Structure formats: structure tokens, C-alpha cells
Amino acid sequence: MGFYKFREAVKKCVSHAQLREQNLRVKELRAKLAETNALKKSDRIAALQNPVHEIPDTVQVTEAYLDDIQRRLYFNDDFADYYIRLGDETNLQKHYNTADSIRNCSKHWFGDWYALRRVFDRKSLSLCHNMFCSNCNHLRQASRIKRLTPVLENYQKTHDLYHCVITVPNCSGNKLDITLDNFFTLARQVTRYLRGDAKIAGIDFLQLGYIGGIRCLEIVVNEKTYHPHFHFVFILKKGLNLIKRHINKFSYNRNQPNLPPRKFSDFEILLQKIAYLAYNNQKVNLASINSVKLGYSCMLDMIEGDEWHEVLKYVTKLTKYTMCALDYTQFKTLYFALYKKHRAYQCLGVLSRLGKDDSIDSEVAEEYRRIIAELQLYENPVSSHYELDSLISNVKNGNMRIISKYIIQQLLNKDAERNA
Ligand SMILES: [Zn+2]
């Protein structure tokens, strides 16, 4: 076959393959559409046979939750102004865009309006996903908790869960960058020991039976200093008997001087010394560990029963800084220390596959479909857009109820009730 004929034959093959792929794709989409229509039909039949006139709490956006959003957006305008200032200083357009999105986070809600029942079905809202936005951090945290809860409940049957906090000395703003670099090296080193990938002659970490966990950096911003610390959840062997018998400087709580001193286990003392050595880039071996008189503050406590729900709140939040007003210097320090440099939140070992998906949850509640079928028995909705302020006043005046398809809404409502 000559070259010309060969080229034509290849072209034909390619176009056949493309056509086949296209047909398959159309077939898939048709099947999906048919499935959705069948579901809609069965929802409609169910709604006709057994109409539910009350809208369940599980799909409603409550008044408490709306208040909660507004409270969490309180500092967003300040952060937007900071981004504009950063844009002026750096001459980078991206900072002006970020200012815009953080200022408008959750302000615009899009969805369907059912006028007869006065129900607004929220389909989407604009989130900024910014690390300084309390609202987005809260949503992210709720999604993490929702994803982790069933998995950890399962591991608790065969293992014990531990909460570990590792702290290094507070640092000034201009040292935060290097402090975090060293701190992350230390955190990684600790998990390498637990996994058995790094060894210290004379110390057996494998007896702890570590299989995975969660790591989360938290930074508390003080007036002049920064207080970074790591929260971990470790999944360890069941029945480790880590007896607490040592007392040192970290046993006393400055804020609660009347409390009895906290005692530490051998492992906690070891961790305190390793933390000191690894953070200060010193060789870690049995001799150097023994030469450290007092390390850095580290705690490891077994999570009893339901306590881990509380612990999850620690290991899933980013920092406390969004809850207080930061000044521009503090904002800039955190921005440059954290921006795209380190992963503040990470799932480890057997949980690592969970850590890859850190999006804000979008699973659809089952009850939602029934409610929509019910609403559509009487009317077709109108596409609408509302601003947060008008939604809040409409809900407060009893003019509107808002529903949301996302399962996560239940969790957010409960949280808002607790905060109210
Ligand atoms: Zn946001």
C-alpha cells in the first residue's frame, strides 16, 4: 500500500473510532436521562398516593443556620480590603479577583421559587473557598467530619483511636515561614517512625500497631506571636497500656493552676524529646534522646467512646485566626506562610484515600426528591436569585421556607443550633 492510501485508511479508522465513541456517549446520556425520568415518575406517583404536606427539617435551611452564615461572614469585608491592598502592593490582578470573591461569599443564592407554597429550592450559591473565609472553612470542616465519621467508627471496632497534640515554641511573624518548614519536617518524621519507614536503634515503634490517621495544623494568632501546633488522630493497636507516670514542666496548666498536674507516659516523654531534636535539625538517636532534659510539649491521649467527635473538630479545622480580627500584617504573614506551600490537613495511611477529596460535600438527600415531586404536583417553579439579606428577612417574617438538596445541611443546622 502506498503512503497516500495508507494515510486515507488511518483517517478512516480514526473517524470510525470517534463515531463509535460518540454513539456510546449518546447512549450513556440517554440511559441516564431515562433513569432520571423513571425516578421522577415514581416520585410523582409516590407523592400522589401519599402526599406529605410538611417539609421535613432534614432538607430545610433553618433560621439559625442563616444567622450562622451571616455571623461567619463578619470579617470577610476586612479580608477583601486586605486583598485589595495586597493587589496594590504587588500589582497582581489575582488579588483583586480574590477580594471580589471573598466579599461575595454566600451572598448570592440561585434556585427555584415555588410561589404557591412559598418555598425556595436552593440549587447553588457562590462560595469563595478562601482560606481566610470562616464560612468556607466551616463548610469544609463539616464535609470532613461527615466523610470521616463512618470510617473512624468502623476502625474503632478493631483499633483504639488516639488524639495527639505536638507544639513547638511560639514564634514571631517573620519566623513563621521557617517555623512551619521545620514543623512540617518534624510532623512527617513522626509518622515515618510510626510507619516503620524510619528507625531509631533501640526503640520499637511498630509495637504501637499504627495504621493511619489524620494530621491538621492549627495556628493561633496572638497579639505579637504565632502559636502553631499539630493535632493528630492516630489509629493504633487495641489495648496498648500506656501508663502515665511522669511529671514535668508541661504538666501544669498556666490558665488553670488549681488543676492536678497532668502525667505523661513513657511514649509521650519520648515524643517530646524527638520533637525537640527533629525540629532543631539535630540527629535523632537513643543517645541524643537521652541527653534531652526537656523536649517540646506533646500529648497523646486515648479517645474514649464518643469523645472523638469533639477531637474531629480539632483535627479538621484550619486555624482559629478567622474568628478574630487580624490586622494587615498578620494577614500578610499567614498568607505568605500558608499559601500553596504546605498541606495543613492530611489523611494518613489507611485514611489517605479520604484526604484526596477535600471538596465541600454535595451528596443529595433522599427526602429531597420526594419534596420536589410533591411541590411539582401543584406548580412549576420559576428560576430565581436572592441575596442573603433578603433571604434572612423573608425567612424571619415567615414569607419563605428554604430547602436544600444536600445531606450536609442537616449537620450544618445542628451545628448552628448548638452555636445559637
Ligand atoms: Zn467563603
Side-chain angles (χ1 to χ4, degrees):
M1 188 190 292
F3 176 71
Y4 178 75
K5 273 196 172 166
F6 174 71
R7 198 176 64 178
E8 285 308 299
V10 169
K11 261 190 192 170
K12 229 180 197 172
C13 272
V14 169
S15 87
H16 274 158
Q18 277 172 344
L19 203 66
R20 235 192 344 262
E21 213 158 274
Q22 214 174 347
N23 285 339
L24 272 176
R25 184 95 191 99
V26 170
K27 224 173 164 179
E28 257 172 41
L29 286 174
R30 278 208 183 117
K32 214 170 176 183
L33 192 68
E35 201 184 319
T36 318
N37 284 339
L39 268 179
K40 261 194 185 162
K41 205 172 161 190
S42 72
D43 287 338
R44 189 180 157 81
I45 291 167
L48 274 169
Q49 283 170 347
N50 186 18
V52 191
H53 294 296
E54 269 315 302
I55 293 176
D57 293 347
T58 44
V59 296
Q60 278 204 52
V61 178
T62 59
E63 207 178 304
Y65 176 62
L66 289 171
D67 285 338
D68 223 28
I69 296 183
Q70 202 157 49
R71 190 176 52 78
R72 287 196 305 263
L73 294 174
Y74 187 77
F75 293 110
N76 280 30
D77 273 341
D78 290 344
F79 288 120
D81 293 343
Y82 291 163
Y83 272 104
I84 288 175
R85 210 165 138 186
L86 195 60
D88 291 346
E89 283 174 17
T90 55
N91 222 356
L92 290 171
Q93 178 61 34
K94 66 173 184 180
H95 295 311
Y96 299 115
N97 299 346
T98 310
D100 227 28
S101 78
I102 196 166
R103 205 186 291 284
N104 283 308
C105 183
S106 289
K107 294 266 169 76
H108 302 278
W109 293 43
F110 301 88
D112 288 343
W113 170 239
Y114 294 85
L116 287 174
R117 298 280 297 274
R118 308 205 68 76
V119 171
F120 178 60
D121 170 23
R122 183 193 85 183
K123 297 272 193 198
S124 68
L125 82 176
S126 47
L127 295 173
C128 71
H129 298 273
N130 189 283
M131 65 172 170
F132 290 102
C133 174
S134 289
N135 187 51
C136 289
N137 282 334
H138 185 80
L139 288 174
R140 208 171 286 123
Q141 180 183 27
S143 302
R144 287 171 183 173
I145 290 176
K146 191 179 147 290
R147 259 193 296 270
L148 286 167
T149 300
V151 181
L152 286 181
E153 260 167 2
N154 211 20
Y155 277 114
Q156 213 176 18
K157 289 177 195 156
T158 51
H159 291 75
D160 281 335
L161 304 180
Y162 283 81
H163 179 208
C164 173
V165 185
I166 302 184
T167 308
V168 292
N170 288 4
C171 65
S172 60
N174 55 5
K175 293 270 165 61
L176 184 64
D177 210 12
I178 178 86
T179 300
L180 290 184
D181 282 348
N182 291 336
F183 204 179
F184 271 90
T185 310
L186 152 65
R188 276 190 285 268
Q189 188 69 3
V190 168
T191 33
R192 287 184 66 216
Y193 288 135
L194 290 173
R195 281 203 310 263
D197 291 348
K199 290 191 169 68
I200 303 172
I203 300 174
D204 179 14
F205 286 98
L206 293 179
Q207 60 174 338
L208 296 169
Y210 164 88
I211 57 166
I214 305 152
R215 187 190 77 194
C216 188
L217 172 74
E218 190 184 348
I219 303 173
V220 176
V221 181
N222 301 318
E223 208 181 314
K224 295 223 161 59
T225 58
Y226 295 79
H227 171 56
H229 52 283
F230 272 109
H231 287 276
F232 289 90
V233 164
F234 289 137
I235 310 174
L236 304 179
K237 195 163 83 178
K238 236 187 195 340
L240 286 171
N241 194 12
L242 304 172
I243 301 163
K244 299 194 177 243
R245 53 190 174 144
H246 305 280
I247 292 182
N248 65 19
K249 191 185 135 194
F250 305 123
S251 299
Y252 302 93
N253 187 332
R254 242 184 303 161
N255 301 324
Q256 291 165 296
N258 294 330
L259 279 185
R262 188 206 143 92
K263 289 181 179 168
F264 294 109
S265 64
D266 290 353
F267 182 71
E268 284 174 304
I269 298 290
L270 176 69
L271 209 56
Q272 292 177 359
K273 295 181 175 182
I274 290 176
Y276 173 86
L277 294 167
Y279 178 80
N280 291 297
N281 289 319
Q282 293 184 26
K283 214 174 171 57
V284 184
N285 56 35
L286 208 50
S288 64
I289 289 169
N290 287 333
S291 73
V292 178
K293 278 213 166 67
L294 181 73
Y296 287 156
S297 165
C298 299
M299 296 188 275
L300 180 86
D301 293 304
M302 193 162 114
I303 304 169
E304 310 269 2
D306 268 357
E307 267 175 26
W308 65 270
H309 289 279
E310 268 314 298
V311 173
L312 267 189
K313 288 199 163 167
Y314 287 115
V315 294
T316 49
K317 77 176 161 199
L318 181 60
T319 68
K320 277 188 187 145
Y321 61 68
T322 42
M323 298 312 286
C324 60
L326 294 181
D327 63 32
Y328 182 62
T329 318
Q330 290 166 330
F331 159 80
K332 243 170 85 171
T333 305
L334 284 168
Y335 176 83
F336 286 110
L338 288 170
Y339 180 69
K340 280 196 177 164
K341 212 170 151 197
H342 297 293
R343 287 181 66 184
Y345 168 80
Q346 196 164 19
C347 289
L348 313 161
V350 288
L351 301 182
S352 55
R353 71 190 160 82
L354 291 171
K356 294 219 170 72
D357 178 15
D358 201 17
S359 56
I360 291 173
D361 213 83
S362 60
E363 209 180 323
V364 177
E366 224 172 88
E367 299 93 324
Y368 169 81
R369 277 191 7 236
R370 283 191 56 183
I371 300 300
I372 293 299
E374 163 95 21
L375 288 168
Q376 293 189 352
L377 286 180
Y378 310 101
E379 61 183 316
N380 281 325
V382 181
S383 292
S384 307
H385 157 248
Y386 285 95
E387 290 198 12
L388 183 60
D389 292 344
S390 82
L391 285 173
I392 290 177
S393 65
N394 271 320
V395 169
K396 289 209 165 149
N397 298 334
N399 284 336
M400 174 193 276
R401 275 178 301 175
I402 306 173
I403 58 171
S404 159
K405 63 181 167 184
Y406 302 121
I407 284 183
I408 199 141
Q409 194 60 51
Q410 296 171 44
L411 201 75
L412 296 168
N413 286 349
K414 269 190 215 144
D415 226 45
E417 267 166 42
R418 271 197 295 270
N419 290 336

